[in-house]
């Protein structure tokens, strides 16, 4: 059975003391919550991974990185390798976020390499993708998403998919307050699961968790998460307050 997952992407927010306080607040909010088949993940900035890992060590909260470099080591100033992440106990990495694509030129060719490096080092990958507003308006979102998934991930063998989580994040809904309706999310998630089934068969498709991201918050999480192909969320703004993030988690 696929897991439900609620992941908080903290983006470039929170210094070390703020990160520690947020992680402590979240652990505290969740201490009496029973999480049935549900994983909770937070993704602080690189410099705060160690601090947050220490705070969450004996809790249900897992820690992910927001990005990594595809090479193992070398002259890549400013970059972080998969092995560096695993060496501090990180088990999951977010790849392909729309902000990485938009501001740092990441594309499917690069993301295929990053995915390979992550999996080779035993990291789980949360692979993000989603259409921009113009693509939604011209009704090309399915073709866009198909390209983003197939070109970055369809070289993988079926076994590799046990370490892949998909995150559909329509760019027009990220940080805008606009959110895909629960029906729009379900429609796209069903389309995505169909793509995986066509390529890898029903077993792989049924076992992959597909998260929704984009202005997901306490007031709309329950409706979005109630859809059969929505297995949780990747949360930005609402993950920056322990109380709000806990409310989103409880919605699942
Ligand atoms: P918001 O929840 O702030 O819209 O961000 C979503 C997101 O980009 C998560 O990765």
């Amino acid at each position: 059975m696929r897991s439900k997952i609620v992941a908080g992407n903290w983006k470039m927010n929170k210094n070390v003391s703020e990160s520690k306080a947020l992680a402590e607040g979240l652990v505290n909010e969740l201490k009496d919550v029973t999480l049935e088949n549900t994983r909770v993940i937070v993704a602080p900035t690189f410099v705060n991974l160690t601090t947050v890992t220490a705070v969450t060590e004996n809790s249900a909260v897992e820690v992910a990185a927001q990005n990594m470099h595809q090479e193992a080591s070398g002259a890549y100033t400013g970059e972080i390798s998969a092995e560096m992440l695993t060496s501090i106990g990180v088990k999951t990495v977010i790849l392909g976020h729309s902000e990485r694509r938009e501001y740092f030129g990441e594309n499917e060719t690069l993301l295929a390499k990053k995915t390979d490096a992550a999996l080779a080092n035993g990291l789980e990958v949360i692979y993000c993708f989603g259409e921009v507003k113009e693509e939604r308006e011209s009704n090309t979102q399915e073709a866009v998403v198909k390209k983003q998934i197939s070109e970055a991930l369809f070289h993988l063998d079926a076994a590799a998919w046990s370490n892949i989580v998909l995150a559909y994040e329509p760019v027009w809904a990220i940080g805008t307050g606009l959110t895909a309706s629960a029906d729009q999310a379900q429609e796209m998630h069903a389309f995505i699961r169909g793509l995986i089934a066509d390529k890898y068969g029903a077993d792989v498709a049924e076992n992959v968790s597909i998260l929704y991201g984009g202005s997901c918050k306490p007031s709309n999480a329950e409706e979005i998460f109630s859809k059969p192909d929505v297995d949780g969320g990747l949360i930005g703004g609402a993950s920056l307050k322990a109380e709000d993030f806990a409310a989103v988690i409880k919605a699942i």
Side-chain angles (χ1 to χ4, degrees):
M1 189 167 69
R2 58 184 184 260
S3 314
K4 300 211 177 272
I5 300 172
V6 184
N9 175 7
W10 295 0
K11 307 190 180 183
M12 196 174 75
N13 292 295
K14 309 283 178 190
N15 65 21
V16 65
S17 55
E18 292 163 347
S19 296
K20 184 166 181 283
L22 177 55
E24 284 168 350
L26 181 62
V27 169
N28 190 46
E29 288 278 348
L30 296 180
K31 68 178 187 307
D32 298 322
V33 178
T34 309
L35 297 165
E36 269 171 43
N37 188 37
T38 300
R39 295 170 58 200
V40 174
I41 303 176
V42 293
T45 59
F46 286 128
V47 290
N48 295 316
L49 284 168
T50 306
T51 300
V52 173
T53 301
V55 171
T56 56
E57 201 173 0
N58 296 312
S59 78
V61 180
E62 303 171 40
V63 180
Q66 298 175 15
N67 179 34
M68 51 161 258
H69 195 267
Q70 66 276 16
E71 297 296 336
S73 63
Y76 302 101
T77 301
E79 293 293 331
I80 306 280
S81 73
E83 194 273 330
M84 290 171 192
L85 296 176
T86 60
S87 75
I88 56 165
V90 170
K91 298 196 171 60
T92 302
V93 62
I94 297 172
L95 293 179
H97 192 280
S98 66
E99 289 145 19
R100 299 293 319 167
R101 293 174 190 261
E102 183 178 354
Y103 305 131
F104 303 96
E106 297 200 359
N107 60 22
E108 285 74 34
T109 308
L110 175 68
L111 291 165
K113 290 183 188 158
K114 289 194 177 197
T115 301
D116 289 345
L119 296 177
N121 282 276
L123 284 165
E124 173 187 56
V125 172
I126 300 178
Y127 179 72
C128 307
F129 53 88
E131 80 282 0
V132 300
K133 186 163 161 270
E134 294 72 28
E135 291 161 343
R136 171 63 64 168
E137 283 169 355
S138 60
N139 202 29
T140 54
Q141 66 272 12
E142 290 187 350
V144 169
V145 161
K146 181 175 182 182
K147 178 178 184 295
Q148 289 171 324
I149 294 176
S150 60
E151 291 188 0
L153 301 181
F154 277 8
H155 65 288
L156 299 174
D157 61 22
W161 279 78
S162 59
N163 281 315
I164 301 284
V165 172
L166 298 177
Y168 169 58
E169 298 203 300
V171 179
W172 48 271
I174 296 178
T176 58
L178 292 174
T179 179
S181 69
D183 287 339
Q184 281 175 322
Q186 168 58 25
E187 188 179 35
M188 180 58 90
H189 284 220
F191 170 74
I192 294 162
R193 206 176 301 284
L195 283 180
I196 310 300
D198 287 348
K199 171 76 180 170
Y200 292 99
D203 267 10
V204 172
E206 280 308 310
N207 284 310
V208 66
S209 299
I210 309 176
L211 315 184
Y212 169 79
S215 299
C216 190
K217 47 188 180 270
S219 59
N220 60 21
E222 193 168 343
E223 193 189 351
I224 296 171
F225 293 166
S226 71
K227 296 294 177 183
D229 286 295
V230 178
D231 304 311
L234 184 54
I235 319 299
S239 72
L240 297 175
K241 278 195 191 138
E243 205 183 332
D244 289 351
F245 192 48
V248 172
I249 294 162
K250 286 173 195 165
I252 215 163

